[in-house]
Amino acid sequence: FTTTAPAPELLAPADGAAGVSLKPELSWTPVEQAASYQVEIALADGGEVVAFEQGLAEPRMVASALQFETGYRWRARAVFASGLAGAWSARAGFTTRARPTDVPIPVSPADGATGVDVSVNLRWEAVTGVAGFAGYQVQVASVNGSSVSGSGDGSSGGVFDGELLVDRRDVTATSFALDGLAYGTSYAWRVRIVLEDGGETSWSDAFGFETAPPVPDAPVLTSPVEGAVSVGRAPVLEWERAAGSLRYE
């Protein structure tokens, strides 16, 4: 005759738990003689499996890649040295926490600023009191004829959908030093909060700015030549045209 190994009992998160982290630790009771465990996590609405972990040596694991304000159901089972799997546990459900509503407010360069230096500090207002705050994510993109002002959610009409000049998630200050920009070029930037459990807030509004035009080369003096003598009282001064120049002083 054959026997069926007992199913583990799920411990945490408790069934029906709400406000759960996006990286919760799932735990269950150990099963005697189990070699490893398997865990399945599915959406509560529709049952789509979003994670399946196996080879877990301990009766616990940290889930990841969960979404804000989403219901999930999960279960676990033991696997034995023979390769046979025990019975699945009963399913337990939980709902992840809401996305924080606070977002950073960009300060400078101001939206629409022109003549900005090619080395500039991006600055924004600090956000305090956000649970699980880990830092900020900053994105910078070059703009090719797209407007970035008044984007509301920072989407900016796809400005940030292509290749990014900067995409940093490890910024802890309320400023970011940006170097090596091109002269006479338009850029857009935005910022959001990164949370300890891997989540993020919504993006700030995107601000756009344009760097200063290129500095022209110094003109080369041609006449009168250096050291010339017997020059008239009203000489004509001449020099070579400098690339990018508009006028001379």
Side-chain angles (χ1 to χ4, degrees), residues 75-151:
R75 60 181 181 173
R77 68 179 176 181
V79 178
F80 300 91
S82 64
L84 295 177
W88 283 107
S89 68
R91 296 181 186 271
F94 63 88
T95 303
T96 51
R97 68 191 186 103
R99 183 189 299 273
T101 57
D102 296 298
V103 297
I105 299 175
V107 174
S108 66
D111 193 25
T114 58
V116 176
D117 195 89
V118 293
S119 295
V120 62
N121 281 331
L122 307 179
R123 299 184 183 277
W124 55 92
E125 293 183 4
V127 179
T128 60
V130 176
F133 173 87
Y136 298 97
Q137 180 179 6
V138 178
Q139 289 187 342
V140 182
S142 58
V143 180
N144 296 314
S146 299
S147 173
V148 299
S149 299
S151 58

Side-chain angles (χ1 to χ4, degrees), residues 7-18 20 24-31 37-39 58-61 73-77 88-94:
E9 294 183 10
L10 305 185
L11 299 177
D15 190 27
V20 174
E25 181 176 88
L26 311 181
S27 62
W28 53 94
T29 57
V31 174
Y37 298 92
Q38 296 176 342
V39 172
E58 300 294 332
R60 67 186 64 86
M61 65 162 281
R73 294 183 64 78
W74 68 288
R75 60 181 181 173
R77 68 179 176 181
W88 283 107
S89 68
R91 296 181 186 271
F94 63 88

